[in-house]
Amino acid sequence: MSPIRTFALSALAACTLAAPAAAASAPYYQAQLAAPAGAARIVAGGLLWNCEGTSCVADKDNSRPVIVCRKLARETPAVVRFSAAGEDLGAEDLARCNG
């Protein structure tokens, strides 16, 4: 096999392997707040949240999503939308989060 072909195949393999890794690094939790968080980084219940304006994101935790949301709501303005792994909390769970 020619060196150019070997390089091309290696580059293709690297791109193929890098794509799933990039997708895996997406935040697990996403929250929209009623008002800006007030800080770029917030620790709520031991979980680090990165916030920009009214949007906050964090990696996965071991608690149920409504519990994670409630811990965040204790440290920030009201949570108006909360999702875990792309699934939004329902209205009842969101009310419990802010309760």
Side-chain angles (χ1 to χ4, degrees):
M1 194 178 310
S2 74
I4 293 173
R5 185 174 173 159
T6 302
F7 175 77
L9 289 174
S10 296
L12 179 62
C15 291
T16 303
L17 294 175
S25 67
Y28 188 81
Y29 299 113
Q30 296 182 358
Q32 286 297 126
L33 309 176
R41 292 177 177 237
I42 295 171
V43 177
L47 184 61
L48 176 64
W49 289 85
N50 293 300
C51 301
E52 186 174 315
T54 60
S55 180
C56 297
V57 296
D59 291 330
K60 189 172 186 200
D61 188 58
N62 292 327
S63 299
R64 292 181 300 131
V66 70
I67 301 300
V68 175
C69 182
R70 179 171 238 175
K71 290 175 182 177
L72 177 64
R74 288 181 182 149
E75 304 296 328
T76 64
V79 177
V80 295
R81 183 172 175 251
F82 188 90
S83 66
E87 284 193 39
D88 285 348
L89 284 184
E92 190 175 300
D93 282 339
L94 195 58
R96 267 188 268 177
C97 166
N98 289 298

